Amino acid sequence: MRKLYLNTGGFDTIFNELKDSFGGELTSTANEYKLTIKSKWAKGTISGASFEKEMTYLNFDLTFYDDVILSIESNPCAPVFFSYCTKGHFAHSFGANGETKRIKEKHAAIVSNTSAINSVLSFESHKHIQFSVIGVPTFVNAKDQAADFTSELRKKFIHESGNYIFMGVQNSKVNEKFQELNAIPQKGTVRYLLMKSILKEVLEFEIAQHSYNYLNTFDPIVNLAVRQINEIKRISTMNFSEMLHAAGSARRNLMPRLFNKEKYHLSYKQYQQKLAS
């Protein structure tokens, strides 16, 4: 059995610690990281992205060649972790001697830990495991734009005892969003913005699922996010000639309005005066 200890810190620090533990080749582009592992300990990839102070995302696609226990240091930012298992299974406990719960294939777990006890993940050898984790800090500045959202997370997923875990079947809508995330063809900034939008949608789904009153305001939020994603996709696929054509059309449509502006304005005022009389 291989026992590992992961300190919480910057995103690059986490990936460098994983590289030191498993070996492999680490690459990074902007805020995305990918560790490709092929060693005596494991084979596969660990990838992820950091979205400033809002959230982090990690995806594990691995086969370990020995039983592995990964102890994760408690974080002063008190993050809530949303974990989704798509293949295989793994176990979680608070501390080495805490109650062990298994996260199965096509199941999800929500975990928070405000105590000094570490979260411990256990993996079996020679079994392919695929799972994703979204981490959201819950200690933010009250003036931060995400303060309301963070407050909602704390109400739903932070427990007085310091430890909280919820397990259940993965939401089908969440599964669809991860499929969309994995199919993003764009690169660079467009890819980063699309990932951020999709992951925030996943979090909105989770809050909605765990809050009956929140369902009333959920659809408008999701619809807005969908429109934003579609607009980003549309812009990213436009070529230069299409952009020029769109700009030309806008100019042609605007010119007649400028010439007729005063006429429309006068007729509007007369109409209003007639109504007043």
Side-chain angles (χ1 to χ4, degrees), residues 245-260:
H245 176 72
S249 298
R251 184 178 61 184
R252 288 193 296 272
N253 291 333
L254 179 61
M255 292 303 290
R257 296 182 189 177
L258 292 175
F259 284 121
N260 295 324

Side-chain angles (χ1 to χ4, degrees), residues 47-230:
S47 57
S50 174
F51 301 92
E52 299 175 351
K53 297 180 180 180
E54 293 185 55
M55 60 183 166
T56 56
Y57 168 72
L58 287 168
N59 178 263
F60 296 79
D61 185 355
L62 291 166
T63 300
F64 294 104
Y65 296 143
D66 198 354
D67 290 344
V68 171
I69 293 179
L70 179 61
S71 181
I72 304 172
E73 181 185 41
S74 59
N75 193 309
C77 292
V80 177
F81 292 104
F82 300 82
S83 181
Y84 306 92
C85 185
T86 54
K87 188 169 185 177
H89 65 268
F90 62 98
H92 173 274
S93 66
F94 291 110
N97 299 318
E99 181 184 0
T100 299
K101 294 183 179 292
R102 175 182 286 194
I103 294 90
K104 300 183 293 184
E105 186 172 316
K106 297 182 180 179
H107 280 63
I110 303 172
V111 179
S112 66
N113 179 14
T114 58
S115 70
I117 301 174
N118 288 0
S119 282
V120 179
L121 302 181
S122 303
F123 305 92
E124 295 182 10
S125 66
H126 296 88
K127 292 188 178 180
H128 189 193
I129 177 73
Q130 289 180 338
F131 69 100
S132 300
V133 178
I134 305 172
V136 187
T138 60
F139 284 157
V140 296
N141 191 314
K143 296 181 180 179
D144 195 292
Q145 291 181 351
D148 291 340
F149 179 77
T150 302
S151 176
E152 197 70 31
L153 287 177
R154 290 187 63 84
K155 289 178 183 177
K156 298 292 180 291
F157 308 119
I158 298 292
H159 198 272
E160 293 180 357
S161 68
N163 300 326
Y164 171 90
I165 184 168
F166 168 86
M167 295 171 51
V169 177
Q170 185 172 317
N171 187 308
S172 60
K173 292 183 179 180
V174 169
N175 183 51
E176 290 173 5
K177 285 298 156 189
F178 275 112
Q179 291 179 5
E180 186 176 340
L181 180 73
N182 295 329
I184 295 176
Q186 290 86 353
K187 303 294 183 182
T189 302
V190 174
R191 173 180 170 81
Y192 180 80
L193 292 174
L194 285 171
M195 289 181 67
K196 182 177 179 180
S197 295
I198 292 171
L199 291 171
K200 290 195 76 171
E201 276 191 89
V202 170
L203 297 177
E204 296 286 2
F205 278 127
E206 292 293 358
I207 290 179
Q209 185 172 329
H210 290 82
S211 176
Y212 176 80
N213 293 332
Y214 192 79
L215 290 172
N216 294 328
T217 58
F218 178 59
D219 285 340
I221 293 173
V222 172
N223 290 336
L224 175 61
V226 170
R227 289 198 298 272
Q228 290 174 337
I229 290 174
N230 289 337

